[in-house]
PDB file of all heavy atoms in Angstrom:
ATOM      1  N   ASN A  62     104.312 109.451  92.225  1.00 91.00           N
ATOM      2  CA  ASN A  62     104.657 110.855  92.020  1.00 91.00           C
ATOM      3  C   ASN A  62     104.702 111.579  93.359  1.00 91.00           C
ATOM      4  O   ASN A  62     104.224 111.075  94.375  1.00 91.00           O
ATOM      5  CB  ASN A  62     103.653 111.520  91.085  1.00 91.00           C
ATOM      6  CG  ASN A  62     103.698 110.905  89.707  1.00 91.00           C
ATOM      7  OD1 ASN A  62     104.761 110.572  89.202  1.00 91.00           O
ATOM      8  ND2 ASN A  62     102.527 110.732  89.106  1.00 91.00           N
ATOM      9  N   ALA A  63     105.256 112.772  93.363  1.00 86.00           N
ATOM     10  CA  ALA A  63     105.402 113.547  94.594  1.00 86.00           C
ATOM     11  C   ALA A  63     104.056 113.880  95.230  1.00 86.00           C
ATOM     12  O   ALA A  63     103.956 113.996  96.450  1.00 86.00           O
ATOM     13  CB  ALA A  63     106.174 114.827  94.310  1.00 86.00           C
ATOM     14  N   ASN A  64     102.999 113.987  94.408  1.00 88.00           N
ATOM     15  CA  ASN A  64     101.678 114.319  94.952  1.00 88.00           C
ATOM     16  C   ASN A  64     100.924 113.088  95.454  1.00 88.00           C
ATOM     17  O   ASN A  64      99.804 113.199  95.918  1.00 88.00           O
ATOM     18  CB  ASN A  64     100.840 115.062  93.907  1.00 88.00           C
ATOM     19  CG  ASN A  64     100.585 114.237  92.674  1.00 88.00           C
ATOM     20  OD1 ASN A  64     100.982 113.085  92.587  1.00 88.00           O
ATOM     21  ND2 ASN A  64      99.923 114.844  91.705  1.00 88.00           N
ATOM     22  N   GLY A  65     101.544 111.893  95.346  1.00 85.00           N
ATOM     23  CA  GLY A  65     100.930 110.679  95.871  1.00 85.00           C
ATOM     24  C   GLY A  65     100.235 109.815  94.839  1.00 85.00           C
ATOM     25  O   GLY A  65      99.755 108.738  95.174  1.00 85.00           O
ATOM     26  N   ASP A  66     100.144 110.291  93.589  1.00 91.00           N
ATOM     27  CA  ASP A  66      99.526 109.481  92.534  1.00 91.00           C
ATOM     28  C   ASP A  66     100.399 108.278  92.225  1.00 91.00           C
ATOM     29  O   ASP A  66     101.611 108.406  92.080  1.00 91.00           O
ATOM     30  CB  ASP A  66      99.338 110.292  91.254  1.00 91.00           C
ATOM     31  CG  ASP A  66      98.300 111.383  91.407  1.00 91.00           C
ATOM     32  OD1 ASP A  66      97.479 111.294  92.341  1.00 91.00           O
ATOM     33  OD2 ASP A  66      98.319 112.323  90.586  1.00 91.00           O
ATOM     34  N   ILE A  67      99.775 107.108  92.116  1.00 92.00           N
ATOM     35  CA  ILE A  67     100.499 105.876  91.821  1.00 92.00           C
ATOM     36  C   ILE A  67     100.149 105.439  90.408  1.00 92.00           C
ATOM     37  O   ILE A  67      98.981 105.368  90.040  1.00 92.00           O
ATOM     38  CB  ILE A  67     100.160 104.773  92.838  1.00 92.00           C
ATOM     39  CG1 ILE A  67     100.626 105.200  94.226  1.00 92.00           C
ATOM     40  CG2 ILE A  67     100.801 103.462  92.444  1.00 92.00           C
ATOM     41  CD1 ILE A  67     100.268 104.237  95.334  1.00 92.00           C
ATOM     42  N   GLU A  68     101.180 105.141  89.624  1.00 92.00           N
ATOM     43  CA  GLU A  68     101.017 104.772  88.218  1.00 92.00           C
ATOM     44  C   GLU A  68     101.663 103.401  88.004  1.00 92.00           C
ATOM     45  O   GLU A  68     102.837 103.205  88.313  1.00 92.00           O
ATOM     46  CB  GLU A  68     101.727 105.841  87.389  1.00 92.00           C
ATOM     47  CG  GLU A  68     101.865 105.575  85.947  1.00 92.00           C
ATOM     48  CD  GLU A  68     102.676 106.691  85.270  1.00 92.00           C
ATOM     49  OE1 GLU A  68     102.992 107.695  85.896  1.00 92.00           O
ATOM     50  OE2 GLU A  68     102.976 106.496  84.088  1.00 92.00           O
ATOM     51  N   ASN A  69     100.872 102.442  87.500  1.00 92.00           N
ATOM     52  CA  ASN A  69     101.412 101.115  87.204  1.00 92.00           C
ATOM     53  C   ASN A  69     102.199 101.177  85.900  1.00 92.00           C
ATOM     54  O   ASN A  69     101.677 101.588  84.876  1.00 92.00           O
ATOM     55  CB  ASN A  69     100.297 100.076  87.079  1.00 92.00           C
ATOM     56  CG  ASN A  69      99.661  99.764  88.403  1.00 92.00           C
ATOM     57  OD1 ASN A  69     100.307  99.826  89.433  1.00 92.00           O
ATOM     58  ND2 ASN A  69      98.385  99.444  88.385  1.00 92.00           N
ATOM     59  N   LEU A  70     103.456 100.754  85.937  1.00 91.00           N
ATOM     60  CA  LEU A  70     104.294 100.785  84.753  1.00 91.00           C
ATOM     61  C   LEU A  70     104.351  99.445  84.041  1.00 91.00           C
ATOM     62  O   LEU A  70     104.301  99.384  82.819  1.00 91.00           O
ATOM     63  CB  LEU A  70     105.726 101.210  85.121  1.00 91.00           C
ATOM     64  CG  LEU A  70     105.880 102.601  85.703  1.00 91.00           C
ATOM     65  CD1 LEU A  70     107.328 102.862  86.051  1.00 91.00           C
ATOM     66  CD2 LEU A  70     105.367 103.644  84.740  1.00 91.00           C
ATOM     67  N   LYS A  71     104.462  98.362  84.806  1.00 89.00           N
ATOM     68  CA  LYS A  71     104.709  97.068  84.181  1.00 89.00           C
ATOM     69  C   LYS A  71     104.337  95.947  85.148  1.00 89.00           C
ATOM     70  O   LYS A  71     104.510  96.075  86.348  1.00 89.00           O
ATOM     71  CB  LYS A  71     106.202  96.993  83.837  1.00 89.00           C
ATOM     72  CG  LYS A  71     106.658  95.759  83.156  1.00 89.00           C
ATOM     73  CD  LYS A  71     108.161  95.875  82.848  1.00 89.00           C
ATOM     74  CE  LYS A  71     108.673  94.632  82.215  1.00 89.00           C
ATOM     75  NZ  LYS A  71     110.128  94.706  81.979  1.00 89.00           N
ATOM     76  N   ASN A  72     103.828  94.857  84.597  1.00 91.00           N
ATOM     77  CA  ASN A  72     103.595  93.645  85.380  1.00 91.00           C
ATOM     78  C   ASN A  72     104.782  92.714  85.178  1.00 91.00           C
ATOM     79  O   ASN A  72     105.243  92.510  84.063  1.00 91.00           O
ATOM     80  CB  ASN A  72     102.318  92.933  84.950  1.00 91.00           C
ATOM     81  CG  ASN A  72     101.080  93.662  85.419  1.00 91.00           C
ATOM     82  OD1 ASN A  72     101.113  94.370  86.408  1.00 91.00           O
ATOM     83  ND2 ASN A  72     100.000  93.504  84.692  1.00 91.00           N
ATOM     84  N   ILE A  73     105.244  92.140  86.259  1.00 87.00           N
ATOM     85  CA  ILE A  73     106.353  91.201  86.199  1.00 87.00           C
ATOM     86  C   ILE A  73     105.777  89.799  86.303  1.00 87.00           C
ATOM     87  O   ILE A  73     105.048  89.499  87.250  1.00 87.00           O
ATOM     88  CB  ILE A  73     107.331  91.441  87.362  1.00 87.00           C
ATOM     89  CG1 ILE A  73     107.857  92.873  87.332  1.00 87.00           C
ATOM     90  CG2 ILE A  73     108.485  90.456  87.298  1.00 87.00           C
ATOM     91  CD1 ILE A  73     108.651  93.252  88.547  1.00 87.00           C
TER      92      ILE A  73
END
Side-chain angles (χ1 to χ4, degrees):
N62 296 321
N64 62 3
D66 292 341
I67 296 176
E68 171 184 353
N69 289 329
L70 298 178
K71 182 178 178 183
N72 286 334
I73 302 171

